[in-house]
Amino acid sequence: MERIEFKRSPAKTAVLLLGALLFVAVGIFLAMTGETAFDRTMGWLCAAFFGLVVVAAAKNVVKSGVVFAFDLSGISDENRGVVIPWTEIEEVVVISIHGTRFLGVSLRQPEPFLARVSTLQRKVAKANEAMGLGHWGFTFAGITPGIDEAIQFVQRNVPAVRAPEA
């Protein structure tokens, strides 16, 4: 049975961690030296946001294992504890935000799957759906293999699901 596992890459995650640490430092510098209240506020907001990224990235550097997997039966999202059968997937799309690509999955009947996730994740799913980005999103930041391999898997093994070119 063909299966592709998408795992945390300690090397890729370490690069994300270093980048986030740099942004925290820049935010603190701006907060301490900003000439206006707006500059200082933006500095603290930057430091706080990227501080959360530092915490998540640090956790993921030491945490290993499969984040999600594609096999002939569907997609297993290990983080959310949900398996989505291919028969429930209508389309996969690539979402690009400032050069970072995500995989968006549109579900035929999203309610049973969204009922298993947090309220915040349900709200994000509804907003994504309204923008045409699918109901379920997969990020490949710090994950190996990448999004191109995911798209190729769908194209090769699940012809009933619409998928973009890799």
Side-chain angles (χ1 to χ4, degrees), residues 4 17 20 41 51 58 68 70-71 78 109 113 119 125-126 152:
I4 184 169
L17 175 61
T41 300
F68 49 90
F70 290 18
D71 63 27
E78 305 296 329
Q109 299 289 324
F113 300 99
T119 302
K126 294 294 182 186
Q152 289 168 1

Side-chain angles (χ1 to χ4, degrees), residues 103-145:
L103 193 68
V105 175
S106 294
L107 304 172
R108 295 181 199 287
Q109 299 289 324
E111 292 77 20
F113 300 99
L114 296 178
R116 300 179 192 173
V117 299
S118 71
T119 302
L120 176 62
Q121 288 174 325
R122 280 193 298 275
K123 288 182 181 190
V124 169
K126 294 294 182 186
N128 286 344
E129 178 185 19
M131 293 185 291
L133 306 176
H135 302 100
W136 211 272
F138 295 94
T139 180
F140 289 82
I143 305 292
T144 189

Side-chain angles (χ1 to χ4, degrees), residues 4 15 30 43 66 68 81 87 89-90 95-96 102 109 111 124 130 137 142 154 163-164:
I4 184 169
V15 171
L30 183 60
V66 176
F68 49 90
T87 55
I89 297 173
E90 189 170 52
I95 304 156
S96 183
F102 302 87
Q109 299 289 324
E111 292 77 20
V124 169
V154 175

Side-chain angles (χ1 to χ4, degrees), residues 27-42:
I28 292 171
F29 177 77
L30 183 60
M32 303 297 273
T33 62
E35 293 181 15
T36 67
F38 177 79
D39 292 344
R40 291 186 299 277
T41 300
M42 292 309 293

